[in-house]
Amino acid sequence: MEFSSRARQRHARLAGDRREQYPHSLQFYLEPPTESISLVEFESLAIDRLKLLKVVENLGVSYIRSTDTYKTKLEHELRKLKFPYRALAEDDYEARRKDHISHFILRLAYCQSEDLRRWFLQQEMDLFRYRFNELTESLMQKFLEHANLSFEAISEDLKNELCNELCASTPGFSLSKVKEQMFYKVGLADAVDLFRARRVFIKDGFAYVPFKEIDVIVLNNYRTKLSKALALTARSLPSVQSDERLQPLLKHLSHCYVGPDYSAQNNTGKISLEQIDALSVKSFPLCMRHLHRALRDSHHLRHGGRMQYGLFLKGIGLTLEQALEFWKKEFIRGKVDADKFDKGYAYSIRHNYGKEGKRTDYTPYSCMKIIMSNPPSQGDYHGCPFRHSDPEILKQKLQSYKIPPSGITQILDLVKGMHYQLACQKYFELTHDVDDIGFSLNHPNQYFTESQKLLSGGRELKKELSNSGNFQHKNNSQESMNSNSTPTSSNAAADTELEGLEAYFTED
Ligand code: SF4
């Protein structure tokens, strides 16, 4: 965020007044923020939290959560994005404020459907778990009191009386360890996870929970509160959505992809039509490979497929003239004659390239947009195969692409856990024979760029796809955080315009 010096002073005064709002770096987010913020700040805070949650998702699937690598990488990201990363810090008011406000903005954006709620809840839980476990014992105690979760510690006499039962019912606890640790008497409803896993001693409707397991209770409590809050927020959505400034922002955030804009590429014209078949096998993500195959087989794609695939091809470098030739050649091999193509389809292709209508230069779709909106119906080939295909059909497709059985199992497990982009990353690793792709996949055109970079040892990328390199560079600077939010605004505008554009695609 950029503030002028006067604004900074005013902000500092405000900050002083509000500091007591955040006695801890860790929050249960019980009270929504009440201060006024600009739309620009609203968007920038939300984008940063979205970036953080995407990293949380990625790390959660790639590493075991208790490992040092997981913790180090997550701390690095929290520092980089300026969120509270160590609960001991006394002077992180700005970070705490950002944490608070951004959580509530994404709560609004991600309460809109069951899928979104589930995703948001999972990432927020993982983030909370990491932060809570990073607290020292005394800070944990303080936080529990602050969150009204101050459970009653049992007396030494009672502990001695129950020590055999506590030792037998608490896995990993010897008699001496029982004597060392504090045990808390917790209502059964709060300890249901421990009870289910038979990891706690129960007596007279109370669970006797050792301090080291208290995170399970706290997380359980947090999950319940956040689920309820999301359901309540969803109910109040109609009134929020009636605000015409917020509605497009929230809609866009829930489909939001945080990364470079692939609409304007320096690689335009660097790809020949003859290369596309080979590229579709080597460097296209599954969604685009699927669309390309369907187009070659049936010499036609319906409107959703033409939009998704057409904009992707534009993003990888097809010029307007090439696009017109490519689609026409294929369509006239089917049921559409040249005249019908020129009248019915050429206009929409020119429109995609900003040469008709409002002359908007349309942006290729991000993974989030493909995954979250416009699911394919029968006869459609667009969408994300990891999200929209039946698992059995996906399995057969992966087998036909020679993915090894162990890889297919890993992909299907990720799909089952609704980690569609991570499943796609795994597909990338398996088809490119690398152990770790080293980037977080957000966009089909990013997949293509990274694939080309890998296959050509990085040389061609510099020459052909230098635009992507620029974005990488920008992403590493503070400037990029601001510049990243700008394409998002323009993406939001483009999304709105795309809806208008869809009217031009009435012909299937
Ligand atoms: Fe395409 Fe993204 Fe799905 Fe991969 S995750 S198949 S790139 S939409």
Side-chain angles (χ1 to χ4, degrees), residues 285 287 367 370 384-386 421 424 441 444:
C287 53
C367 293
I370 295 171
C384 170
F386 298 107
Q421 285 155 266
C424 190
L441 176 77

Side-chain angles (χ1 to χ4, degrees), residues 149-195:
L149 287 174
S150 41
F151 304 113
E152 183 195 338
I154 62 171
S155 66
E156 279 302 307
D157 288 349
L158 183 57
K159 194 161 78 175
N160 287 334
E161 195 183 305
L162 297 174
C163 71
N164 286 332
E165 288 90 338
L166 290 173
C167 178
S169 315
T170 319
F173 270 63
S174 59
L175 275 178
S176 60
K177 202 160 175 202
V178 167
K179 292 204 168 124
E180 272 167 26
Q181 279 257 326
M182 200 122 70
F183 275 77
Y184 293 85
K185 197 171 161 185
V186 175
L188 206 49
D190 282 325
V192 77
D193 286 352
L194 289 172
F195 172 57

Side-chain angles (χ1 to χ4, degrees), residues 10 37 82-83 169 186 214 370 397 406 414 421 477 492 503:
R10 197 178 63 232
I37 60 168
K82 298 190 166 50
F83 282 100
S169 315
V186 175
I214 212 77
I370 295 171
K397 189 180 290 292
S406 61
L414 287 165
Q421 285 155 266
S477 68

Side-chain angles (χ1 to χ4, degrees), residues 350-362 497:
R350 284 198 301 275
H351 204 285
N352 261 358
Y353 278 75
K355 302 292 178 206
E356 301 284 358
K358 291 179 187 164
R359 300 192 176 262
T360 306
D361 195 11
Y362 290 101
E497 296 212 17

Side-chain angles (χ1 to χ4, degrees), residues 70-82:
Y70 176 87
K71 291 179 187 169
T72 312
K73 285 185 184 275
L74 192 45
E75 178 174 328
H76 172 75
E77 201 62 26
L78 288 164
R79 273 172 190 262
K80 197 173 88 184
L81 292 169
K82 298 190 166 50

